[in-house]
């Protein structure tokens, strides 16, 4: 198969996945993505498949499963773990383990170089995580929400939902 035909096939497969996700056919989409991830040699295709699988987990509220998956990558010191994966993991931990969220933010700071554009935003985000793990929990969460420092929309919605239950008059 020539390169152009192969690329057209891959694009078609990812478009099919997107349509399945739009229709809420998550299991079918996930199965197709697992097939893509296992059958493709191209690391970009594999990475995109992984990203789409994470998107499915988020849409289904499978936060713990996604956290376990990302934590496993972190524990294996995976070279393909991007700063955004780390940040997503930290945000997932905000849902039920704020101390682990803070530890993850601190690990991210070790991996990201100060010259990286992401680094400055990371430093800004670290303070509310520290507040959440102190007697300023409400201030930390408020800062994260009001300053749009939770980057993953599904996680942001879950955190706000949980905060409304915990602090009904504050959110």
């Amino acid at each position: 198969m020539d390169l152009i035909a192969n690329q057209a096939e891959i694009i078609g497969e990812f478009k099919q996945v997107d349509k399945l996700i739009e229709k809420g056919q998550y299991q079918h989409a996930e199965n197709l993505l697992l097939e893509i991830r296992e059958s493709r040699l191209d690391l970009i295709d594999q990475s995109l498949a992984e990203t789409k699988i994470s998107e499915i987990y988020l849409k289904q509220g499978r936060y713990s499963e996604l956290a376990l998956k990302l934590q496993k990558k972190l524990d294996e010191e995976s070279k393909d773990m991007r700063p955004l994966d780390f940040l997503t993991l930290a945000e997932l931990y905000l849902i039920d383990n704020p101390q682990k969220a803070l530890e993850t933010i601190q690990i991210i700071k070790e991996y990201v170089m100060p010259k990286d554009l992401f680094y400055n935003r990371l430093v800004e985000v670290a303070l509310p995580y520290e507040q959440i793990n102190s007697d300023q929990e409400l201030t930390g969460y408020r800062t994260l929400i009001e300053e749009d420092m939770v980057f993953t929309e599904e996680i942001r919605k879950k955190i706000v939902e949980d905060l409304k239950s915990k602090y009904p008059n504050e959110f």
Side-chain angles (χ1 to χ4, degrees):
M1 184 180 295
D2 70 2
L3 186 60
I4 295 173
N6 188 39
Q7 277 305 104
E9 179 183 338
I10 292 166
I11 290 169
E13 288 173 341
F14 280 114
K15 283 183 177 180
Q16 182 182 359
V17 165
D18 288 338
K19 287 179 184 175
L20 291 169
I21 291 171
E22 283 177 26
K23 293 178 183 176
Q25 296 177 356
Y26 300 120
Q27 190 59 54
H28 190 86
E30 184 177 350
N31 290 341
L32 183 55
L33 288 164
L34 291 171
E35 190 177 301
I36 291 169
R37 186 186 69 192
E38 299 305 317
S39 67
R40 301 292 176 203
L41 298 177
D42 188 291
L43 293 177
I44 294 172
D45 295 337
Q46 292 174 5
S47 180
L48 182 56
E50 276 299 315
T51 299
K52 291 281 188 185
I53 291 170
S54 295
E55 179 184 322
I56 290 170
Y57 281 26
L58 288 169
K59 287 187 178 296
Q60 291 180 299
R62 294 164 60 187
Y63 307 115
S64 297
E65 287 179 71
L66 182 54
L68 286 172
K69 183 174 137 182
L70 293 174
Q71 185 64 54
K72 183 179 176 187
K73 280 175 81 174
L74 175 61
D75 291 343
E76 293 171 353
E77 297 186 61
S78 179
K79 300 293 184 223
D80 67 339
M81 185 115 171
R82 301 168 302 156
L84 192 55
D85 291 330
F86 283 118
L87 188 57
T88 300
L89 180 59
E91 290 178 354
L92 285 163
Y93 282 136
L94 279 175
I95 294 170
D96 61 6
N97 192 341
Q99 179 58 42
K100 192 84 169 156
L102 177 59
E103 291 169 10
T104 304
I105 286 290
Q106 292 167 340
I107 291 170
I108 300 169
K109 288 169 74 174
E110 294 175 19
Y111 280 85
V112 178
M113 304 301 284
K115 64 182 178 186
D116 190 326
L117 294 175
F118 186 72
Y119 186 81
N120 290 333
R121 187 67 169 162
L122 181 59
V123 170
E124 291 175 15
V125 168
L127 178 60
Y129 278 72
E130 291 168 6
Q131 291 173 322
I132 289 167
N133 285 281
S134 72
D135 60 348
Q136 298 176 337
E137 178 186 42
L138 184 58
T139 301
Y141 278 116
R142 184 174 281 125
T143 301
L144 285 176
I145 299 304
E146 291 175 359
E147 300 293 323
D148 289 325
M149 292 182 168
V150 179
F151 303 107
T152 311
E153 185 59 29
E154 289 86 355
I155 296 171
R156 183 186 183 288
K157 287 177 184 175
K158 174 65 174 154
I159 291 171
V160 169
E161 177 185 308
D162 291 352
L163 290 171
K164 284 181 179 180
S165 293
K166 189 172 183 177
Y167 302 102
N169 298 326
E170 299 293 332
F171 284 91

